[in-house]
Amino acid sequence: MFDFLVSFIPRAVMQSIPLLYGSTGEILTEKSGNLNLGIPGIMYVGAISGVIGAFFYEQSVPAAEMNAFLAIAIPFLSSLLGSFLMGLLYCFLTVTLRANQNVTGLAMTTFGVGFGNFFGGSLIKLAHSEVPSIALSATSNFYRASLPFADRLGWFGQIFLSYGFLAYLAIAIALLTAFLIRKTRTGLHLRAVGESPATADAAGINVVRYKYLFTCFGSMIAGLGGLYYVMDYANGVWSNNAFGDRGWLAIALVIFTIWRPNVSVLASILFGGLYILYLYIPTGTQFAVKELYKMLPYLVTLFVLIIVSLRKKREDQPPASLGLHYFREER
Amino acid sequence: MESVQNAVRLEKLTKHFGNVVANNAISLELHEGEILSLLGENGSGKTTLMNMLSGIYYPDSGQIYIHGKPVTIASPKDAFAHGIGMIHQHYKLVDVFTATENIVLGLNEKGKLNLKEAGKKIKEISEKYGFEINPDQKIYDMSVSQKQTVEIIKVLYRGADILILDEPTAVLTPQETDKLFAVMRNMQKDGKSIIIITHKLHEVLEVSDRVAILRKGEYIGDVLTKDADQQSLTDMMVGHTVSLNINRPEPVNPTPRLEVKGLTVFDDLGVKRLDDVTFTAYSGEILGIAGIAGSGQRELLESISGLYPISKGEILYHNPKTGCDENLVGKDPMSIQKAGVSMAFVPEDRLGMGLVGSMGMTGNMMLRSWRNGKSFFVDKKAPEQLANTIWKELEVVTPSTNFPVRRMSGGNVQKVLVGREIAQNPAVLMTAYAVRGLDINTSYTIYNLLTAEKMKGVAVVYVGEDLDVLLELCDRLVVLCGGKVSGVVDARTTNKREVGVLMTRVGGNGNEQ
């Protein structure tokens, strides 16, 4: 059993990191009153943008001469830029033009996936790859580097120290975000914007600025989830549509944690575990049963939704103006 | 020297909304450390004037002086900077936040957010002025009066020394009102200057030092409270009757049509909205419902139409088709409408009830007729014809009958609504604020329509705001005050003064004069 856990937990954690990034980003976004259903697409764009950056850096420098700092910084920054632009586009459509948030978000997910597959396919062609994927192993090695003494610490090292830096960054960002939302003046203002923009406006808070700022921040955080997936989890191998439905799982996680990023740190590991549980349960050739196990995270989310709506606690409800646009003169 | 004693001096403030003059060259003074009542009927411009002082509106012309210095107030922030704080009728609070969180919201104090420290300061303010508040209580757990307390503390926390309260007692119980007045006196002792907007004369007399009166956007004058009584204030507030020359034929063959007996309703917060309301509406007459806004008019009409839960009382309807009496209590809106009770309710936002903004005239006509006929498809011809008739006869200005009503002007929207209700051939026609926001010509069109209905033998119930119109259009008036009927008078023999007193007399203690 212990051996099973020592091998299972690190796998679950690696599954959890993209979800943690995605849900932290989405929580920050939703706290500003924007229901960004474009998160799956934004994570996709974050991934492909990082891949593009890494690809051109690997192409221009021989593997042996690659600078560790640049190999990490270039994909990192291009990933941030890609998801930032997506966030900005979402804000422009929903905040400035006051388009419907659900429609905009869904459209952006479709767009993001298409964008990723288009450039993914183009890179595969550019690289003259024989398989429908592109491997950025050199960059991935930098991303996956863990502490050198982790191997020597036995199970402790395996469970806690065997991950690349993006995994620890995800936890740090989640905890920081939780602190920001709950404890700071900025967080108070942000929550007020999401709950009642008219009240925030009357109190002198710049509603539009808060919505733009935190939706873009949220998108950038979510985008890092895509970057982690390619560079760390998938060992630098990009193939179209491999990212799967992790974006939706991240949004489910937001509801599961009742808008609390600190809870998300552990909840995402639970989700990650449930997501890969089917691999550890011998089902033989019964693929249909495997699919049933894959439903577990969603079932758990439905269960939490039922519990939360039964309890009817006001603090556990979504931000009151989530999904609504705000226009001062419209009263 | 005189200007030094004034906390606020307004000089010839004027504000237009389109063609309407909301405030016409109003000059007003608020002395240091006094409580000033601002008195006036609905639409007399009290709130507009105060909104200019608190930075919501910007005056078209005129000058504001604070503590003797000329200032420009372009936003609520500017108002705060000058120590002016306004407590609006509609509270602006975040429900899931605590009192403290709401109070510090938007403040950019130095250092990190310290809610404990803020809570202490709130406690100090509360003790100083006699508020009762728990800084850690969530807003959604609070009563209306507690929410009001939070709003007032919010203003004091920001260091305001000039406070404006817009109808603060409208939502309070008498006990809560007493507490509020005690707090106001404490604030006055502390050197704060206060303006209170209200229509309740006994409160004016109880709490204020001086009364300033507005009527139809004009400043009428001021009077020291100790020199005033209810009668003199009413006279100043309502002024003299203006002759409008609305055609008013004698009622034809009045028979009881709708009898309301002991109607009592509570809203979802448990506040009594109608208290033992009893009256009878006759066929062939226009029954006016007069009262200050929010005295229960809306609840009354909605109760009769089956849209409001009734906790006690009877509504008897003498159905002219069958000749039987029916009790409308407990019936659903559809069957009440079928029996012949029709409501043309024009709520504050005009489109909220009755019309669908994005549909055209035809579509809106269909809202009433879609059940007619047995075909699987709805009949579009009849409503189209009706829409065309209304379009022509009522001179609705619209490019076509399919033009979304949302984009029509207010008067045209109201014509469509009233026109449709009349076309149902109702036995009882109820209208609320049917002429709100309309120009004079359109208003007369509506008056004539209602009078024509009355002559057909319909019982018309007209809820209105303008006393002059009520007195000239209606046959009888039911006056509501705080959810109670404070009097039923003959509109032909009564006068504005009498109705004005009834409108403002809470509790109906009629032997004051």
Side-chain angles (χ1 to χ4, degrees):
Chain A
M1 187 62 196
F2 185 73
D3 286 342
F4 166 74
L5 281 181
V6 169
S7 71
F8 180 72
I9 288 177
R11 298 297 300 169
V13 169
M14 287 179 76
Q15 276 294 346
S16 78
I17 298 303
L19 308 182
L20 183 56
Y21 273 117
S23 70
T24 306
E26 179 69 6
I27 289 170
L28 206 53
T29 307
E30 290 195 9
K31 281 289 174 191
S32 76
N34 280 347
L35 177 64
N36 190 354
L37 294 179
I39 282 293
I42 289 169
M43 294 176 80
Y44 220 89
V45 169
I48 192 66
S49 305
V51 167
I52 294 171
F55 179 80
F56 285 110
Y57 185 60
E58 279 198 19
Q59 292 281 303
S60 58
V61 186
E65 293 170 27
M66 275 174 80
N67 176 316
F69 175 74
L70 284 180
I72 283 176
I74 290 173
F76 193 83
L77 292 178
S78 39
S79 167
L80 286 182
L81 180 70
S83 41
F84 166 72
L85 290 176
M86 288 290 278
L88 200 63
L89 177 64
Y90 177 86
C91 284
F92 179 68
L93 289 171
T94 62
V95 180
T96 305
L97 301 181
R98 296 193 287 279
N100 181 301
Q101 294 188 7
N102 296 339
V103 177
T104 307
L106 292 174
M108 287 194 55
T109 288
T110 315
F111 169 75
V113 172
F115 180 91
N117 286 344
F118 173 76
F119 283 98
S122 310
L123 288 186
I124 291 166
K125 262 199 166 168
L126 274 183
H128 304 294
S129 173
E130 280 162 20
V131 284
S133 62
I134 178 167
L136 302 159
S137 344
T139 310
S140 174
N141 283 337
F142 290 111
Y143 269 90
R144 282 187 295 123
S146 57
L147 292 173
F149 52 82
D151 294 348
R152 280 174 277 141
L153 293 172
W155 63 267
F156 182 83
Q158 269 228 308
I159 292 181
F160 293 103
L161 300 172
S162 62
Y163 316 107
F165 78 97
L166 275 178
Y168 302 102
L169 185 67
I171 293 166
I173 289 177
L175 295 178
L176 265 176
T177 305
F179 177 78
L180 176 94
I181 291 172
R182 293 254 41 115
K183 297 284 178 198
T184 66
R185 201 177 295 281
T186 311
L188 184 71
H189 293 183
L190 174 66
R191 279 185 287 142
V193 167
E195 290 289 342
S196 171
T199 304
D201 199 15
I205 297 166
N206 189 334
V207 173
V208 170
R209 195 170 73 189
Y210 266 81
K211 279 187 175 252
Y212 260 90
L213 208 60
F214 287 95
T215 304
C216 289
F217 270 152
S219 296
M220 286 156 80
I221 293 171
L224 287 180
L227 183 71
Y228 172 87
Y229 172 79
V230 190
M231 293 306 170
D232 195 328
Y233 181 83
N235 297 328
V237 177
W238 169 275
S239 50
N240 283 353
N241 289 325
F243 187 65
D245 50 6
R246 289 179 172 80
W248 297 115
L249 212 52
I251 293 178
L253 194 58
V254 172
I255 301 161
F256 181 82
T257 60
I258 320 174
W259 292 267
R260 281 176 298 190
N262 49 337
V263 178
S264 197
V265 172
L266 291 175
S268 65
I269 297 174
L270 172 72
F271 265 45
L274 292 173
Y275 194 66
I276 54 165
L277 192 63
Y278 72 95
L279 295 173
Y280 290 82
I281 294 170
T283 50
T285 51
Q286 297 215 310
F287 296 109
V289 179
K290 275 194 202 305
E291 297 302 322
L292 282 179
Y293 280 110
K294 284 188 194 172
M295 290 179 197
L296 280 174
Y298 302 101
L299 281 179
V300 174
T301 305
L302 283 177
F303 185 68
V304 168
L305 268 179
I306 292 169
I307 300 285
V308 167
S309 36
L310 281 182
R311 281 177 65 211
K312 279 190 185 146
K313 207 170 153 218
R314 290 290 296 270
E315 283 80 0
D316 290 349
Q317 299 305 314
S321 88
L322 183 63
L324 308 173
H325 56 69
Y326 174 66
F327 180 47
R328 186 183 290 170
E329 273 123 75
E330 196 176 84
R331 281 166 208 247
Chain B
M1 276 316 281
E2 186 239 21
S3 63
V4 181
Q5 298 164 355
N6 283 336
V8 178
R9 190 157 70 87
L10 308 179
E11 198 178 80
K12 293 192 174 156
L13 283 191
T14 300
K15 179 77 185 170
H16 297 259
F17 291 110
N19 292 327
V20 183
V21 187
N23 282 164
N24 188 11
I26 292 182
S27 300
L28 185 77
E29 285 161 9
L30 171 68
H31 305 316
E32 297 276 8
E34 81 165 346
I35 299 180
L36 174 74
S37 282
L38 198 55
L39 187 66
E41 282 187 289
N42 295 321
S44 56
K46 299 167 300 218
T47 304
T48 306
L49 186 66
M50 289 303 109
N51 276 343
M52 285 195 277
L53 191 52
S54 65
I56 310 265
Y57 298 146
Y58 192 75
D60 296 341
S61 63
Q63 180 65 53
I64 298 171
Y65 297 86
I66 305 291
H67 301 301
K69 285 191 209 89
V71 296
T72 307
I73 299 175
S75 73
K77 256 190 187 166
D78 291 355
F80 270 133
H82 294 297
I84 300 168
M86 181 155 169
I87 291 99
H88 295 271
Q89 263 179 295
H90 302 285
Y91 307 139
K92 286 208 151 64
L93 297 168
V94 180
D95 269 355
V96 293
F97 282 13
T98 62
T100 309
E101 286 175 322
N102 267 293
I103 288 164
V104 301
L105 189 65
L107 281 179
N108 282 311
E109 290 170 318
K110 273 185 201 125
K112 70 181 214 280
L113 183 64
N114 190 338
L115 290 176
K116 261 192 199 141
E117 201 60 41
K120 254 192 220 160
K121 205 173 147 190
I122 290 165
K123 276 253 164 72
E124 275 167 34
I125 294 174
S126 310
E127 275 160 30
K128 192 165 162 194
Y129 298 112
F131 293 110
E132 284 163 25
I133 192 178
N134 170 9
D136 297 324
Q137 197 176 359
K138 293 274 166 89
I139 299 297
Y140 61 77
D141 273 338
M142 290 186 178
S143 69
V144 186
S145 103
Q146 285 173 307
K147 287 181 193 171
Q148 185 179 59
T149 304
V150 176
E151 284 281 15
I152 297 175
I153 296 178
K154 200 159 129 185
V155 164
L156 292 172
Y157 192 93
R158 284 162 169 74
D161 60 356
I162 299 163
L163 282 92
I164 306 164
L165 297 116
D166 190 357
E167 291 187 33
T169 60
V171 289
L172 302 185
T173 63
Q175 293 81 1
E176 289 167 342
T177 304
D178 289 343
K179 256 189 221 164
L180 174 69
F181 286 172
V183 165
M184 282 171 65
R185 287 196 198 93
N186 285 338
M187 295 197 286
Q188 181 183 24
K189 265 181 225 146
D190 195 46
K192 312 255 184 219
S193 318
I194 302 168
I195 300 179
I196 172 170
I197 301 181
T198 178
H199 334 260
K200 297 183 187 166
L201 293 179
H202 68 104
E203 291 178 1
V204 170
L205 294 170
E206 187 187 334
V207 76
S208 61
D209 302 313
R210 202 158 57 89
V211 190
I213 292 140
L214 299 187
R215 192 199 308 150
K216 303 213 160 131
E218 307 266 355
Y219 181 66
I220 299 302
D222 70 332
V223 54
L224 289 177
T225 309
K226 61 177 164 48
D227 302 334
D229 58 26
Q230 294 217 357
Q231 195 57 60
S232 64
L233 290 177
T234 311
D235 287 352
M236 287 178 88
M237 186 167 95
V238 297
H240 298 289
T241 305
V242 188
S243 184
L244 299 164
N245 292 319
I246 299 171
N247 176 29
R248 178 168 57 183
E250 285 294 320
V252 276
N253 186 24
T255 52
R257 183 60 58 80
L258 193 69
E259 273 180 61
V260 175
K261 286 184 192 164
L263 189 66
T264 303
V265 306
F266 295 87
D267 67 9
D268 48 3
L269 295 170
V271 179
K272 211 182 236 183
R273 288 295 172 192
L274 289 179
D275 189 358
D276 198 19
V277 169
T278 303
F279 66 88
T280 307
Y282 291 88
S283 67
E285 70 159 11
I286 299 183
L287 178 72
I289 311 266
I292 303 291
S295 304
Q297 296 97 321
R298 184 195 181 113
E299 289 81 3
L300 178 62
L301 294 201
E302 292 193 358
S303 305
I304 296 174
S305 331
L307 296 170
Y308 210 91
I310 294 166
S311 57
K312 231 168 66 191
E314 273 183 15
I315 301 168
L316 282 182
Y317 170 58
H318 304 282
N319 195 328
K321 279 180 225 155
T322 59
C324 302
D325 287 4
E326 295 170 32
N327 193 349
L328 297 185
V329 176
K331 287 202 171 161
D332 61 284
M334 181 67 85
S335 44
I336 291 176
Q337 258 169 31
K338 272 209 179 130
V341 179
S342 185
M343 182 168 86
F345 197 86
V346 184
E348 283 70 17
D349 54 354
R350 222 173 256 144
L351 289 172
M353 268 164 102
L355 296 178
V356 177
S358 55
M359 300 202 310
M361 280 175 73
T362 308
N364 275 298
M365 297 304 138
M366 274 166 71
L367 290 180
R368 276 278 188 267
S369 67
W370 58 276
R371 282 183 175 232
N372 299 350
K374 292 224 160 68
S375 162
F376 177 72
F377 299 99
V378 288
D379 177 13
K380 224 179 162 174
K381 262 195 194 134
E384 178 77 50
Q385 273 168 8
L386 177 59
N388 273 313
T389 315
I390 292 175
W391 187 12
K392 290 209 183 73
E393 285 191 7
L394 302 188
E395 292 164 352
V396 178
V397 181
T398 176
S400 85
T401 52
N402 290 319
F403 187 73
V405 292
R406 175 165 41 92
R407 286 163 64 192
M408 295 182 187
S409 76
N412 289 308
V413 170
Q414 258 140 302
K415 281 181 190 170
V416 173
L417 182 59
V418 175
R420 185 188 69 191
E421 296 308 316
I422 289 174
Q424 306 303 309
N425 282 323
V428 177
L429 176 65
M430 299 188 287
T431 64
Y433 311 118
V435 295
R436 182 178 279 180
L438 300 194
D439 61 53
I440 268 297
N441 280 327
T442 324
S443 302
Y444 272 81
T445 311
I446 304 261
Y447 301 148
N448 291 337
L449 278 171
L450 295 178
T451 306
E453 284 303 296
K454 157 182 153 185
M455 296 316 285
K456 277 200 256 167
V458 173
V460 181
V461 177
Y462 177 89
V463 174
E465 299 171 291
D466 193 330
L467 270 185
D468 290 321
V469 172
L470 280 164
L471 286 172
E472 293 228 356
L473 174 71
C474 303
D475 299 296
R476 288 186 309 134
L477 288 180
V478 172
V479 187
L480 288 179
C481 183
K484 285 184 182 161
V485 175
S486 55
V488 180
V489 291
D490 186 334
R492 284 186 174 76
T493 56
T494 187
N495 56 31
K496 252 182 134 171
R497 224 183 193 190
E498 194 187 354
V499 179
V501 170
L502 287 172
M503 275 166 60
T504 46
R505 191 163 58 198
V506 178
N509 41 339
N511 43 8
E512 276 164 288
Q513 298 303 318

